[in-house]
Amino acid sequence: MKTIQKLFIGLLCLSAAVAYADFYHIGSVHNGVGSISDNTVSLGGRDWRHISAGAQPGGIGIGGAGTLDHRAGFLQAVEVRRWDLDTDGDGVPDELDWDNDGDGLSDMDEITGAPWGGIVSSDPNNPDTDDDGASDLMEAIAGTDPTNPDSVFKIIHIDSDGDDAEVTWTARGNHERIYVVRAIEDSYDGTPSEVIWSNTVAGGAAPWFETTETVTDPAGDSRFFAVEVIRP
Ligand SMILES: [Ca+2]
Ligand SMILES: [Ca+2]
Ligand SMILES: [Ca+2]
Ligand SMILES: [Ca+2]
């Protein structure tokens, strides 16, 4: 009797959800074979996937108008095949987790690609989609492509030339990021506190504006350097 009551409540809410008009194709939860969930159920003569209730975090639905929203719930009325899957092991199952993989970007941002202007999407179940060592969040901050391992923020080389040093790194041009070059005298550990240069960078071609920048440090023959990137 208790199960029937739960199912009844779920169906009532599902009827209410019809007002959202044709929610379908959800999924930020793995289905167990490497894809996002494909969790179809027929109710009321139509197929629903991963259906949803408003005001709950977790699953993502796409509405008939093409808008995405967080929709989750109906765990009793609609089978969620991997209801206990917890990709990042934080104790919150993916179905209810706004950030399945714990990389600091929400499932919504990863699926829509909002941090990259919608040009590409990152994997909501993988903290480093292209396995280049930079997390999806780091790539969002640096403005690099989270699906291309060759697109990553890094120091390319430091040339020592007599009494000065040249520091070259991969940058996002078009003046879209601020870079700070720091130096430290004799320790690889710790945060280099001396700022020797800070500015935006021109150049690069849309959409990624990939370029390089080189800064010369006249006092830097044998120093250590770090480059910081800031997303305004
Ligand atoms: Ca994430
Ligand atoms: Ca991710
Ligand atoms: Ca990456
Ligand atoms: Ca990348």
Side-chain angles (χ1 to χ4, degrees):
M1 180 61 74
K2 190 174 182 180
T3 300
I4 293 174
Q5 283 180 333
K6 284 183 178 176
L7 182 61
F8 185 60
I9 292 170
L11 286 173
L12 276 181
C13 292
L14 188 59
S15 296
V18 173
Y20 289 111
D22 297 328
F23 268 97
Y24 65 98
H25 186 199
I26 317 314
S28 57
V29 181
H30 274 305
N31 64 1
V33 292
S35 301
I36 58 176
S37 49
D38 180 10
N39 192 29
T40 304
V41 63
S42 292
L43 289 172
R46 62 198 308 177
D47 289 339
W48 298 83
R49 290 180 177 183
H50 238 179
I51 313 302
S52 267
Q56 288 192 39
I60 295 170
I62 181 167
T67 56
L68 286 167
D69 200 356
H70 280 269
R71 303 285 172 186
F74 295 94
L75 299 183
Q76 307 300 326
V78 177
E79 176 196 18
V80 176
R81 293 181 180 174
R82 306 199 68 193
W83 60 272
D84 60 346
L85 185 66
D86 181 10
T87 296
D88 58 7
D90 66 354
V92 181
D94 288 356
E95 175 65 16
L96 299 176
D97 197 340
W98 67 275
D99 178 13
N100 287 0
D101 55 15
D103 63 7
L105 287 175
S106 71
D107 298 346
M108 178 78 86
D109 275 353
E110 300 216 51
I111 289 174
T112 60
W116 297 278
I119 299 170
V120 294
S121 300
S122 54
D123 186 342
N125 297 304
N126 183 343
D128 180 7
T129 298
D130 56 10
D131 196 30
D132 62 5
S135 74
D136 294 336
L137 175 62
M138 291 167 66
E139 303 226 31
I141 293 171
T144 54
D145 185 346
T147 66
N148 179 1
D150 293 326
S151 173
V152 66
F153 172 56
K154 63 181 178 182
I155 290 177
I156 302 172
H157 55 249
I158 299 174
D159 286 340
S160 178
D161 179 18
D163 292 333
D164 59 26
E166 290 183 346
V167 183
T168 302
W169 69 96
T170 58
R172 182 171 178 117
N174 203 35
H175 303 290
E176 294 186 4
R177 295 295 188 276
I178 300 167
Y179 297 91
V180 182
V181 181
R182 297 174 180 272
I184 192 168
E185 289 297 333
D186 56 4
S187 172
Y188 187 74
D189 299 322
T191 302
S193 58
E194 181 184 343
V195 174
I196 62 172
W197 184 91
S198 179
N199 208 336
T200 61
V201 171
W208 295 106
F209 299 101
E210 291 178 318
T211 186
T212 62
E213 181 69 3
T214 299
V215 164
T216 300
D217 177 18
D221 189 21
S222 59
R223 305 208 290 177
F224 294 93
F225 298 92
V227 181
E228 177 183 8
V229 59
I230 299 170
R231 179 177 54 183

